[in-house]
Amino acid sequence: MYTKEVMDHFSNPRNVGEMPDADGIGTEGNPVCGDVMKIFLKIKDDKIVDAKFQTFGCGAAIAVSSMVTEMVKGKTLDEALSISKETVANALGGLPPQKMHCSNLGADALRKAIEDYRNKQQK
Amino acid sequence: MKEIYMDHVATNPLHPEVLEAMLPYFKEHFGNPLSLYEPGIKAREAIENARASSASLINAKANEIIFTSSGAESNNFALKGIAFANQNKGKHIIISKIEHHSILNSARFLEKSGFAVTYLPVDKYGVIDPAIVEKAITKETILISIIHASPEIGTIEPIAEIGKIARQKGIIFHTDAVASVGNIPVDIQPLNADLLSFAAHQFYGPKGAGALYLREGTRIVPLIYGGIQEGGRRAGTENVPAIVGMGKAAELAKRDLQKRINHVKSLRDKLISNALKVEKVYLTGHPEQRLPGHASFVVEYIEGEAMLLLLAGKGIYAASGSACSSKALKASPVLISIGTPAHLAQGSVVFTLSEGTTEEEIDYFNEVFPQIINQLRKISPFAKGWGDMEDKTCTPKR
């Protein structure tokens, strides 16, 4: 059902955990649907220097979270904002169609974390 | 890596003796049971022997057994066949909220065809109160259908009492006994059932072989019209090898039933007591009135499909009722019906043991299961609690 890349990121997820000094935090999804992703970003000079995540959900949700945190490291915020559900799914070699929407929360959570950071900057 | 199969309710491997019994009917005894020459006669005799063994397993008469392709077909046949045969007497049917999809969806089909259906609630263990069944009966009620044992939560229903009420009121009573026949003693007489569905692969027979018990003298409208097979009630050239396999499996189930029960029950109890030592793991279904090899849980703060994948990675095969693990992306209606909050239902996981399960497998499982729970809880944002996520509703984005 899942690709090798999905199984790899699910079984050995990268960047798991909380980030106490995060500059931006974004949460997407809800447990009743089955998936929740929380992403933490460390940002310096408009660049993402570190990313971590916590996820409640199925194999796809965990793999997506791991992949997104890998993809954003070193990117500027604008570059990171161009990451979409499709780019994440493609990087994982594809997701089963029924998982495309419910479990593919990485890009949305990332957008929320960047918004959170920018809101804090304005204050 | 060793493979540990803990999904008995999904299906089972064939018993070797069943396979042996089936093989000649793929080869030399290939005849059509309706043919009048030797290969046909051989096939006919084999079917009638299988009918006698299948009847004997549930203490019925041979002429009360109709062979079908599956438990799902038997359930469809029972609901639609009885509804259409009795629609002049009334158009009300009673089922429960924890029926198998083949009952639930047949009932929904009948609703569209002008029948009214009452879906009875269950208590927190999934037990249907016979008094609630009695209250639901109206002058229009023609059929009551209640599952004998739930494959999802293992609970065994008080079928004999419900059957007694139906009998007193003169209402036809069906029970879906697919998960129970061959796994616990099922005697059609004290159950007071007029119809009963069962399937061979639930007791080490082949897939594609099921049966409907139909009490002598009960009228039914066929699902499949055609020739005179199965007394004109189920047309189509018989799947002779599968039927032979069902007969053999029924014979073995009758012979070995108590041995099988004792075997899986002690292993199951060991599994449950160990799993419940892990913090915030809860048993679903009835603690005692449950299928002997059945252990079902909800694990807080993590999701079922992820558990199944990690377990499979360790060679352990199991099932879940979580939304993500279902193709329909909906949490199990059975878990919701017993009052499991939707976020907790996502943590569903079901282990069902079979005659092949060993003590060593359970020891290995008891070691692996807590590790997997911890591994996923380390990733979960809810490791310290659900916070404000508890009362959400789900409106998936499209």
Side-chain angles (χ1 to χ4, degrees), chain B residues 210-254:
Chain B
L212 181 66
Y213 159 82
L214 179 71
R215 188 178 292 278
E216 211 169 17
T218 312
R219 267 188 62 234
I220 194 159
V221 171
L223 281 185
I224 303 173
Y225 287 94
I228 59 150
Q229 292 89 355
E230 301 300 295
R233 292 172 299 192
R234 205 274 186 182
T237 301
E238 296 91 336
N239 185 355
V240 181
I243 291 171
V244 167
M246 181 159 188
K248 187 68 188 179
E251 189 190 311
L252 298 177
K254 194 175 176 182

Side-chain angles (χ1 to χ4, degrees), chain A residues 66-118:
Chain A
S66 167
M67 180 53 92
V68 165
T69 51
E70 281 291 273
M71 287 168 86
V72 295
K73 280 192 211 169
K75 285 205 164 64
T76 66
L77 295 185
D78 286 337
E79 282 167 353
L81 282 171
S82 72
I83 293 172
S84 68
K85 283 176 187 289
E86 284 70 25
T87 21
V88 181
N90 290 341
L92 287 166
L95 285 174
Q98 78 271 21
K99 301 283 185 186
M100 240 349 242
H101 295 279
C102 298
S103 310
N104 194 351
L105 303 171
D108 291 336
L110 171 66
R111 199 153 296 126
K112 283 190 175 174
I114 293 173
E115 266 169 43
D116 177 52
Y117 167 74
R118 286 184 168 161

Side-chain angles (χ1 to χ4, degrees), chain B residues 94-99 118-133 135-136 146 157 162 333-334 336-339:
Chain B
I94 298 169
I95 68 168
S96 82
K97 286 185 177 168
I98 62 159
E99 299 298 318
T118 299
Y119 300 84
L120 296 178
V122 295
D123 71 10
K124 65 177 177 173
Y125 295 128
V127 177
I128 296 150
D129 180 356
I132 294 179
V133 180
K135 270 191 211 138
I146 303 290
E157 300 296 337
I162 297 168
V334 176
I336 303 303
S337 298
I338 60 172

Side-chain angles (χ1 to χ4, degrees), chain A residues 1-2 10 13 16 18 28 30-36 53-59 62 98-99 101-102, chain B residues 301-303 305-306 309-310 324 329 342-343 346 376 378-382 384 386 389 392-394 397-398:
Chain A
M1 175 171 132
Y2 288 134
F10 164 65
V16 173
E18 266 182 304
E28 183 61 37
N30 92 56
V32 172
C33 297
D35 299 299
V36 179
F53 80 91
Q54 290 183 312
T55 291
F56 165 90
C58 66
I62 291 170
Q98 78 271 21
K99 301 283 185 186
H101 295 279
C102 298
Chain B
Y301 311 137
I302 59 177
E303 193 278 328
E305 191 220 64
L309 288 171
L310 288 182
C324 298
L329 297 179
H343 59 277
Q346 304 299 353
L376 288 170
K378 271 186 198 150
I379 307 178
S380 172
F382 303 120
K384 296 189 194 95
W386 292 102
M389 283 287 181
K392 300 264 179 179
T393 53
C394 184
K397 284 183 193 168
R398 288 290 155 199

Side-chain angles (χ1 to χ4, degrees), chain B residues 13-202:
Chain B
L14 276 185
H15 192 289
E17 285 185 56
V18 171
L19 178 63
E20 278 309 307
M22 290 170 71
L23 286 174
Y25 295 89
F26 288 107
K27 297 190 280 189
E28 58 267 34
H29 307 319
F30 63 88
N32 186 319
L34 286 185
S35 300
L36 298 177
Y37 39 76
E38 195 54 26
I41 294 167
K42 274 267 169 1
R44 173 93 256 141
E45 282 171 1
I47 289 180
E48 293 318 315
N49 286 337
R51 199 184 306 283
S53 314
S54 301
S56 168
L57 180 59
I58 58 166
N59 194 24
K61 289 185 245 170
N63 65 357
E64 295 175 313
I65 297 296
I66 303 171
F67 286 118
T68 66
S69 67
S70 59
E73 185 190 330
S74 297
N75 283 340
N76 271 261
F77 190 12
L79 248 70
K80 296 176 200 170
I82 293 298
F84 290 128
N86 293 278
Q87 54 184 330
N88 294 334
K89 292 184 198 148
K91 291 196 128 186
H92 179 233
I93 295 162
I94 298 169
I95 68 168
S96 82
K97 286 185 177 168
I98 62 159
E99 299 298 318
H100 186 260
H101 289 295
S102 53
I103 293 286
L104 283 175
N105 289 337
S106 293
R108 287 190 189 120
F109 163 79
L110 288 168
E111 281 182 307
K112 285 184 197 152
S113 312
F115 291 84
V117 179
T118 299
Y119 300 84
L120 296 178
V122 295
D123 71 10
K124 65 177 177 173
Y125 295 128
V127 177
I128 296 150
D129 180 356
I132 294 179
V133 180
E134 187 159 16
K135 270 191 211 138
I137 295 171
T138 71
K139 278 187 304 206
E140 285 279 303
T141 309
I142 50 170
L143 172 64
I144 300 170
S145 178
I146 303 290
I147 195 163
H148 189 196
S150 167
E152 286 189 55
I153 55 172
T155 300
I156 300 169
E157 300 296 337
I159 289 301
E161 287 99 288
I162 297 168
K164 199 169 145 196
I165 293 164
R167 183 70 44 93
Q168 281 164 356
K169 303 267 182 181
I171 297 163
I172 298 173
F173 178 49
H174 166 253
T175 184
D176 166 7
V178 170
S180 57
V181 169
N183 292 287
I184 55 171
V186 176
D187 182 332
I188 197 70
Q189 306 310 333
L191 288 184
N192 296 308
D194 301 298
L195 298 95
L196 178 144
S197 303
F198 58 119
H201 73 122
Q202 294 291 327

